[in-house]
Amino acid sequence: MATSPVARRLAIAGVCLLSLVLCCGLAWWQWEKFSSANGTFQNLGYVLQWPLFGLFPAFMFWRIRQLRLRAEAAPPQEPEERAKPKPVRLPEPRVSREQPADPEDAELAAYNAYLAELAARDEESRK
């Protein structure tokens, strides 16, 4: 769905204005709580924070627009050639020559020997 730039800007401005009005209302509510008998300084902190929260969407819209304009004004740059990474030489697997006493360890040793054989074949195929 394509919208015109004017409609999009009006929608963003409306959201920014609604955010500011809503957050200023919340700041007023916190001020009333602070002014009451059981108000705390935490309420006063919220009085100062809510307007900042309300201004945040407008700031983000401004910041994104500035970044977009800066990117459009900058000349396009060619991507840099990346150097090929150096191959990493992995250490050779250590194979135990001892026969384990436990039958489960014998299965594990046989499996490790099989993996070592596969690694050796893989190394030979790369040469």
Side-chain angles (χ1 to χ4, degrees), residues 17-68:
L17 185 64
L18 179 66
S19 170
L20 184 61
V21 168
L22 180 68
C23 288
C24 284
L26 289 169
W28 179 260
W29 170 63
Q30 287 293 330
W31 178 256
E32 292 295 321
K33 284 192 77 157
F34 173 71
S35 300
S36 69
N38 59 356
T40 63
F41 283 104
Q42 183 177 10
N43 298 116
L44 182 61
Y46 287 134
V47 168
L48 301 174
Q49 285 180 351
W50 277 116
L52 295 176
F53 293 154
L55 289 173
F56 185 73
F59 169 74
M60 287 306 298
F61 173 66
W62 174 81
R63 180 70 177 146
I64 290 170
R65 187 159 188 256
Q66 292 298 317
L67 290 175
R68 185 177 296 143

Side-chain angles (χ1 to χ4, degrees), residues 76-96:
Q77 296 179 353
E78 295 180 19
E80 296 179 9
E81 290 287 329
R82 291 188 182 182
K84 290 185 180 179
K86 295 180 182 178
V88 176
R89 178 128 175 113
L90 298 176
E92 295 293 325
R94 289 187 273 166
V95 180
S96 173

Side-chain angles (χ1 to χ4, degrees), residues 118-127:
L118 288 177
R121 283 188 210 167
D122 188 40
E123 188 65 33
E124 288 176 13
S125 69
R126 289 184 184 194
K127 289 182 181 179

Side-chain angles (χ1 to χ4, degrees), residues 2-24:
T3 59
S4 70
V6 174
R8 192 173 338 145
R9 286 182 184 160
L10 285 175
I12 291 172
V15 167
C16 292
L17 185 64
L18 179 66
S19 170
L20 184 61
V21 168
L22 180 68
C23 288
C24 284

